Amino acid sequence: MLKFVRHMHAQAAVPRRALLYVPGNDRRKILKATTLNADCICLDIEDGVSVTAKDVARETISDVLNSATSFAGSEVAVRVNAVSSGMAKKDIACILGGKSPPSAMVVPKVDTLDEAKWLADELKRYEGARGMQLITQVESAQGLLNLNIICNFLSEKLEDINANLAAVIFGSDDFCASIGATRSASGEELLYARQKVVTVAKAYKAQAIDMVHIDFKDMQGFIKYSMQGAAMGFTGKQVIHPSQVAPAHQAFAPSEQRVSWATELIEAFNKHQQEGKGAFVFQGQMIDKPSLLQAQNIKSIADAIVRREL
Ligand code: COA
Ligand code: MG
């Protein structure tokens, strides 16, 4: 049996608040990425790498994974090419065939159940896929319509290899191209898709990772969209530049004020339960079970972040 040392995440359940893409053929950027404390570093072989540089990306990534490179507590993912590209087989062989597979794999443009089936069969062939965190990307009209059956299939099938459907990423730019939408400043053309991605991902207990903000010099816009994504239920955001990591971490972590609110609410709820009371008033608002569940969500995200930072 192949012995391998997986590049483990400090805590598998840590929310991926910032998933940082790094072109897999760019060793300088990869080394820089290891210093940025992103929750997840995603070494790319897909669209961030030109067709002529795919082989260099495969070789560089496998060299980095198999060397003693330290990722300093960041999760390491590799984004392979789409199943429909015909290149995924080679990418997977290169990434999972080595002695040190990444802890996560991102598969873009998963449009159909047949592609998901191909993927599950392919992963099964590799010892290095055992225990892997799989992250799929939805980026087309077809992919969005099929998202439920794809997640359903993968979350069940991956159990066979002790792997996990860990997150679903919304690929907004490809999605806009797929439905013929024009990007606007308000982003209203993407609302339905974003809500659907959050809903389906969460239904399968997977994290939901929001769209890229390609205008990386526009920090105000980045923060605005990050806060909006966090409020919609996204776990985190895809980021493309070092300057976006810290603002994403901040936007997708509950504020101190929200954590205190949640902690006090949970205490008050438990006290009222013991006294046999259901609904009660807390800080001027009616509180019952749904508010408790929201407060528990906030606490569990905050606790996971604290664990990651320890
Ligand atoms: N990961 C790690 N380091 C990065 C980085 C990234 N994604 N993007 C930039 N850097 C580094 C640069 O190498 C530079 O480091 P240095 O000072 O040691 O030379 C520093 O951060 C500042 O970079 P900057 O000069 O502002 O940007 P750039 O012109 O080098 O790169 C992009 C701009 C957009 C090409 C680059 O950010 C990038 O490649 N992003 C990822 C693109 C991608 O993967 N797309 C596919 C998914 S959507
Ligand atoms: Mg894409």
Side-chain angles (χ1 to χ4, degrees), residues 44-63:
D44 193 19
I45 323 180
E46 204 224 5
D47 286 352
V49 174
S50 71
V51 179
T52 51
K54 300 283 186 197
D55 275 332
V56 180
R58 290 182 192 108
E59 280 159 28
T60 310
I61 292 173
S62 111
D63 189 39

Side-chain angles (χ1 to χ4, degrees), residues 20-23 28-29 32-33 44 48 79 212 216 240-242:
L20 172 70
Y21 288 112
V22 191
R28 184 184 172 96
K29 284 195 173 75
K32 173 108 180 171
D44 193 19
R79 181 164 77 166
V212 172
F216 63 88
I240 52 163
H241 191 271

Side-chain angles (χ1 to χ4, degrees), residues 14 30 45 57 62 66 77 99 219 233 263 282 287 297:
V14 164
I30 295 175
I45 323 180
S62 111
N66 293 326
K99 66 180 191 311
M219 202 39 72
T263 311
F282 174 75
I287 299 299
N297 277 341

